């Protein structure tokens, strides 16, 4: 199947862009918390070890969105998305 890959995430808005792998909806379905409306995907990534910031994501997203995000492969951050 098709799978998204993300490098830096600095050009992908969490709330306003299609970036999740889903047959139903590729937008994040969790409403944005106040003050995080312009958050970019790079804020969700531990860039040192190329992993998702699960602790942070659990404070913001519903479980369905967290699972969708964790299914996205993180690549070397030297290249652009």
């Amino acid at each position: 199947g098709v799978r998204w890959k993300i490098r830096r995430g600095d050009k992908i808005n969490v709330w306003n862009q299609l970036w999740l792998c889903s047959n139903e909806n590729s937008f994040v379905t969790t409403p944005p918390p106040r003050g995080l409306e312009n958050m970019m995907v790079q804020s969700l990534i531990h860039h040192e070890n190329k992993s998702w910031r699960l602790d942070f994501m659990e404070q913001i997203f519903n479980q369905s969105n967290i699972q969708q995000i964790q299914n996205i492969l993180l690549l070397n951050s030297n290249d652009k998305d």
Side-chain angles (χ1 to χ4, degrees):
V2 175
R3 188 170 179 192
W4 280 107
K5 298 172 190 167
I6 292 181
R7 288 179 173 82
R8 294 188 309 213
D10 61 329
K11 306 273 190 236
I12 305 168
N13 183 287
V14 169
W15 315 104
N16 301 324
Q17 291 182 257
L18 297 166
W19 67 280
L20 299 180
C21 286
S22 173
N23 292 332
E24 301 95 39
N25 185 3
S26 293
F27 284 106
V28 169
T29 57
T30 307
R34 175 169 276 155
L36 297 179
E37 298 89 351
N38 296 315
M39 183 170 64
M40 304 306 264
V41 171
Q42 71 179 359
S43 299
L44 307 176
I45 301 171
H46 283 296
H47 292 279
E48 309 79 40
N49 61 6
K50 296 308 294 175
S51 65
W52 292 106
R53 293 179 58 199
L54 187 57
D55 55 333
F56 180 56
M57 295 187 330
E58 287 175 339
Q59 297 174 35
I60 299 172
F61 300 107
N62 62 41
Q63 195 58 40
S64 175
N65 284 158
I66 290 172
Q67 289 174 345
Q68 290 171 306
I69 293 167
Q70 287 184 299
N71 285 332
I72 298 173
L73 182 63
L74 294 172
L75 301 176
N76 186 323
S77 63
N78 293 332
D79 300 320
K80 295 181 180 177
D81 291 318

